[in-house]
Amino acid sequence: MTNKEYLEEIVEELKEDTEWEFPKELRVVLEDLEWGLLGL
Amino acid sequence: MDTKELYESKYANFQKAVNRQEGAYVPTTITNNGGGFFWAGKTILDVHGDQMAYAEAITKVAGDMWVDGNILSGLTTTPRMDKAFPGAENKIAKDGTLTHLQVSPMEADEYDQLIADPKGFIADVLLPRKHGFLFEDRGAAKEALKVYAEEKFYNIGQQMMITNKLLADKYGVFSFVNLGGAINTPLDHLFDYFRGFRGTLTDLRRQPAKVQAALDAIWEYRSADAVAKPYDASKGYPFQPCHIPAYLSPKQYKEYYWPYEKKLIEWVYNSGSKVFLIMEGRWEKIWECFLEVPKDSCVLCVDDDDFLKAYEVLGHHQILCGGLKVADTRLKKFDQIKDDMKHLVDTCAPGGGFLFGTDKGWVTPGDVNQNLVDAFNFVHEYSSKA
């Protein structure tokens, strides 16, 4: 598994995480994650 | 006049200025990167997590001086984000000041990987260098990404909206810049996120063809899809903080920066808006480029250049913003600043096309000081009478 695939897999898990209180409809902020993390 | 009427009046006056009509006075604008907190006797560390307390503190200065337009009021990171991502380049210093330490994770011999697949290269190679812990511990990665999502949404994006609403509701201040839709050229992306200051400037000399190919790849990755659709002018002027141009020769700027800049300006202009472009550093040697693009397609924020000289060369063709150097408010007596402001208003106010503001954003303690507050009030009063 590449690092890119690893990150994508985590994002998918977080989008479906039912224990996380952060509203599901807001989890779109995890899209374009590579660029967001590069710019932090 | 109630606040709603005040807002409408300020908005109408602002629109006149950016459409080259002489309004009732010169609009004043602010770039508050957290310096406003210190004026209120607070820091982000005191108010983080309480959105209203944050908004009240950072905007307090708008109650002490005349402000028409808000460029930005907020920080680009949060204490919680800072803690969760130790490798981040945007940090909060111990005294609450926003700081930036450039991180340049790409090596000089990695251009082929960047050119072939920018997204994959970032995820596979650069992120493990910048945020290594994400790839070492899956559980820690998930917790950090939760912080990333929550902070990005609540304490950066939503916070700015709440702050902007408070500015409008309490002070009648109009926020006119689209920060969420910020744009930039590939060379600034390469400089900011990949190769840094030394790397980019060295690569431009040693491997220019690779740099050019990388710029095209970054353009395709970050901008090509966006510019294929019309820009949504209802969101305000897209923000463009330009970092590398001051360090380029005019030849380098025209070859590697301007072609993409021109495309961005024309894209925004064709949708009826303007690029809000921060000319960081000195740009005199490349001012002429902005005479090539349509009239009033940009609001150009003058930083280290001589504002009056910039006005003489560019003021008839692009809207200019600035005129007050933050350093002067610390170093000069108010009488001297007042004379400078009189000359500025007398020169630039006639016919509109001029927004008053500071050369740099307010970041550190003391950036917002009594001289700065008095200068804003003076420009409002003096230009109202002029």
Side-chain angles (χ1 to χ4, degrees):
Chain A
M1 182 190 287
T2 64
N3 289 332
K4 180 167 168 274
E5 288 162 347
Y6 165 81
L7 275 181
E8 285 167 353
E9 199 175 273
I10 290 181
V11 168
E12 284 312 306
E13 286 174 22
L14 286 174
K15 282 186 173 176
E16 298 306 319
D17 187 339
T18 52
E19 289 176 15
W20 187 17
E21 290 176 5
F22 190 60
K24 278 196 172 183
E25 67 273 18
L26 302 182
R27 298 182 193 183
V28 289
V29 295
L30 288 167
E31 287 173 7
D32 200 19
L33 183 65
E34 291 85 1
W35 190 252
L37 291 175
L38 189 68
L40 269 188
Chain B
M1 192 185 290
D2 66 21
T3 314
K4 190 167 180 291
E5 288 169 333
L6 182 65
Y7 178 92
E8 284 166 2
S9 154
K10 286 182 176 180
Y11 178 82
N13 192 59
F14 179 91
Q15 290 302 331
K16 279 189 176 176
V18 294
N19 287 292
R20 291 194 184 276
Q21 296 164 28
E22 207 166 311
Y25 56 84
V26 170
T28 61
T29 64
I30 60 171
T31 306
N32 186 350
N33 300 104
F37 282 130
F38 302 111
W39 177 254
K42 304 273 186 188
T43 77
I44 190 173
L45 303 170
D46 299 321
V47 296
H48 172 60
D50 182 337
Q51 291 179 318
M52 276 316 290
Y54 183 119
E56 292 277 1
I58 200 169
T59 62
K60 182 187 176 294
V61 66
D64 299 317
M65 68 187 205
W66 187 273
V67 183
D68 291 282
N70 175 45
I71 296 165
L72 72 91
S73 289
L75 273 65
T76 48
T77 191
T78 72
R80 193 168 167 238
M81 187 83 98
D82 189 355
K83 197 174 170 194
F85 291 89
E89 49 198 271
N90 293 295
K91 312 288 291 176
I92 309 283
K94 281 182 183 169
D95 71 348
T97 301
L98 175 66
T99 61
H100 179 258
L101 181 68
Q102 192 172 59
V103 176
S104 312
M106 179 181 157
E107 300 295 332
D109 60 358
E110 293 176 328
Y111 273 94
D112 287 342
Q113 294 176 72
L114 168 61
I115 294 160
D117 176 14
K119 186 174 176 170
F121 175 59
I122 292 167
D124 289 333
V125 180
L126 302 187
L127 292 184
R129 291 176 187 162
K130 189 165 182 176
H131 307 294
F133 73 98
L134 292 177
F135 303 90
E136 289 160 8
D137 182 332
R138 193 182 183 92
K142 286 177 87 166
E143 289 311 306
L145 292 180
K146 285 180 182 176
V147 172
Y148 168 87
E150 291 167 3
E151 293 303 292
K152 195 172 172 185
F153 182 81
Y154 292 122
N155 291 325
I156 298 176
Q158 191 179 63
Q159 178 64 64
M160 281 210 184
M161 289 168 69
I162 288 169
T163 303
N164 291 354
K165 188 172 184 310
L166 183 76
L167 277 168
D169 293 348
K170 191 169 177 182
Y171 303 110
V173 172
F174 164 53
S175 294
F176 62 97
V177 173
N178 178 9
L179 296 168
I183 56 176
N184 223 324
T185 63
L187 190 57
D188 254 329
H189 288 320
L190 187 73
F191 174 77
D192 285 339
Y193 306 134
F194 295 85
R195 291 288 291 139
F197 181 86
R198 187 186 297 176
T200 307
L201 295 178
T202 305
D203 298 344
L204 279 167
R205 291 186 188 84
R206 291 187 182 166
Q207 40 182 345
K210 295 276 188 194
V211 171
Q212 182 60 69
L215 299 184
D216 288 339
I218 295 170
W219 174 266
E220 282 302 311
Y221 169 47
R222 298 311 306 170
S223 306
D225 287 349
V227 301
K229 295 170 279 186
Y231 174 71
D232 182 355
S234 71
K235 292 186 172 173
Y237 300 156
F239 186 68
Q240 188 188 355
C242 303
H243 298 143
I244 198 173
Y247 307 109
L248 300 174
S249 68
K251 185 175 178 295
Q252 286 172 325
Y253 179 81
K254 286 170 190 169
E255 198 170 340
Y256 299 103
Y257 200 99
W258 181 248
Y260 304 99
E261 180 69 71
K262 200 172 171 189
K263 280 191 214 176
L264 290 172
I265 292 171
E266 286 170 351
W267 169 59
V268 173
Y269 175 77
N270 289 337
S271 298
S273 190
K274 305 177 195 300
V275 174
F276 193 83
L277 192 151
I278 315 286
M279 300 197 295
E280 292 195 13
R282 292 184 185 277
W283 285 51
E284 185 173 352
K285 62 197 176 186
I286 47 176
W287 280 345
E288 69 203 48
C289 292
F290 293 91
L291 301 174
E292 281 178 31
V293 285
K295 186 174 178 179
D296 297 343
S297 53
C298 303
V299 177
L300 302 175
C301 293
V302 178
D303 184 308
D304 287 332
D305 289 304
D306 181 320
F307 192 89
L308 293 174
K309 212 168 168 187
Y311 183 79
E312 195 182 322
V313 176
L314 292 169
H316 66 286
H317 198 72
Q318 301 295 354
I319 308 298
L320 294 193
C321 181
L324 176 64
K325 296 204 178 296
V326 173
D328 283 351
T329 68
R330 290 172 178 264
L331 299 171
K332 289 186 175 179
K333 292 192 169 155
F334 185 65
D335 280 348
Q336 292 173 278
I337 295 170
K338 205 159 86 172
D339 287 344
D340 292 345
M341 296 302 100
K342 276 184 187 173
H343 185 45
L344 179 76
V345 170
D346 290 344
T347 307
C348 305
F354 166 50
L355 304 174
F356 175 75
T358 48
D359 59 337
K360 299 179 192 307
W362 312 335
V363 181
T364 65
D367 280 355
V368 182
N369 55 60
Q370 195 60 51
N371 273 350
L372 182 138
V373 168
D374 291 344
F376 269 70
N377 285 329
F378 178 76
V379 165
H380 174 66
E381 286 160 22
Y382 184 73
S383 67
S384 300
K385 290 174 192 163

